[in-house]
Amino acid sequence: MREVSVQQADFDIGAEIAALSTGDVAAGAVASFVGLVRADELTAQELGAGDAAAVLSMTLEYYPGMTESALEEIVAQAKARWRLRRVRVIHRVGRLLPGERIVFVGVSSAHRADAFAACEFIMDYLKTRAPFWKKEETPHGSRWVDARETDDAAAARWG
Amino acid sequence: MSIKVLYFASVSEALGLTAETIDLPTEVKTLGALRQHLGVRHPALLTTKNLRAAVNRQMCGWEAPIAEGDEVAFFPPVTGG
């Protein structure tokens, strides 16, 4: 099974979660995370415009080739740290609307602690190491999303 | 020395450019030197806060060497997930 996909299309959460343990009787745990587009309210200052406005859509840009290999490297690191059975990472790109899914991370393992930890680790590393860039669009203009220090701190705690 | 340079996200937008192939003077041997060299034509490369770069699709520090045929990319901090 392919571990990493970068795609415009949506994914089927149920099918992806099921595939993590189908036919694998040694798997005792599956943990997953789904990230969604939020309709954040941006201030006038954040927008550099006269009025505050809600996010209407988000466009994700990536670096074809590098993004996939960065995600594969993160999965390899997770496998080196925990005893994992299967891993699946899907990240969408292009224009997405509030409520749409952006990212899926699913991990199976014999016991839950490995699956929980690896799932969180993969998301924390993805946030700070995989080349994706988000641009938020509102009725009053658009802006590139700033990287957050809290994401750096979340990744740093894994050592 | 000829290399390919890619620009992404806010950096690409500021430059109005997504990619270019450039001939480098021989004294430009590192990523940091390349940034300074290109910064003469593309000031956004010098003013972008926390600019990041990759050589041959690997995230690298400014001391990283560059060589003939390399693919170099400049971009802002990543914001996926």
Side-chain angles (χ1 to χ4, degrees):
Chain A
M1 189 176 76
R2 201 155 150 203
E3 294 188 313
V4 165
S5 298
V6 178
Q7 62 190 43
Q8 190 141 27
D10 193 12
F11 43 83
D12 180 336
I13 299 175
E16 294 298 340
I17 290 175
L20 287 164
S21 63
T22 301
D24 181 8
V25 292
V30 173
S32 65
F33 172 85
V34 177
L36 308 168
V37 179
R38 267 193 323 267
D40 277 354
E41 184 79 16
L42 300 185
T43 65
Q45 191 184 2
E46 284 173 323
L47 270 174
D51 291 301
V55 171
L56 288 181
S57 72
M58 187 172 266
T59 299
L60 282 121
E61 186 177 327
Y62 74 116
Y63 183 170
M66 179 175 167
T67 303
E68 292 87 343
S69 51
L71 292 174
E72 283 160 9
E73 169 63 26
I74 292 166
V75 170
Q77 287 187 41
K79 286 178 165 175
R81 286 172 179 242
W82 294 280
R83 294 169 64 87
L84 307 180
R85 307 289 303 173
R86 294 179 189 164
V87 179
R88 182 78 170 118
V89 178
I90 307 172
H91 204 300
R92 295 179 68 194
V93 293
R95 188 166 180 270
L96 302 173
L97 303 177
E100 283 199 86
R101 293 177 272 270
I102 302 180
V103 61
F104 174 87
V105 175
V107 179
S108 67
S109 58
H111 303 283
R112 73 182 183 284
D114 290 311
F116 274 133
C119 192
E120 196 166 15
F121 167 87
I122 290 169
M123 269 312 298
D124 284 348
Y125 268 42
L126 182 157
K127 281 260 178 195
T128 53
R129 299 182 180 202
F132 291 100
W133 300 276
K134 287 181 185 140
K135 189 176 199 180
E136 294 172 325
E137 285 117 12
T138 79
H140 300 308
S142 60
R143 66 148 197 173
W144 290 97
V145 174
D146 282 328
R148 290 153 51 118
E149 282 174 18
T150 51
D151 288 335
D152 286 330
R157 77 200 152 109
W158 297 101
Chain B
M1 181 168 82
S2 170
I3 62 164
K4 186 177 181 189
V5 186
L6 307 177
Y7 306 103
F8 290 96
S10 57
V11 175
S12 168
E13 210 168 74
L15 269 48
L17 194 64
T18 57
E20 60 183 331
T21 300
I22 50 166
D23 271 313
L24 280 186
T26 50
E27 68 268 20
V28 179
K29 292 184 168 68
T30 65
L31 201 48
L34 175 65
R35 180 187 182 180
Q36 295 299 322
H37 177 76
L38 291 172
V40 176
R41 266 192 306 127
H42 303 312
L45 292 180
L46 305 178
T47 55
T48 299
K49 210 175 72 174
N50 300 320
L51 185 75
R52 303 279 198 266
V55 178
N56 298 326
R57 303 178 178 182
Q58 286 284 334
M59 212 85 90
C60 288
W62 298 113
E63 71 292 343
I66 46 176
E68 169 74 26
D70 279 352
E71 177 179 292
V72 175
F74 293 100
F75 43 81
V78 303
T79 56

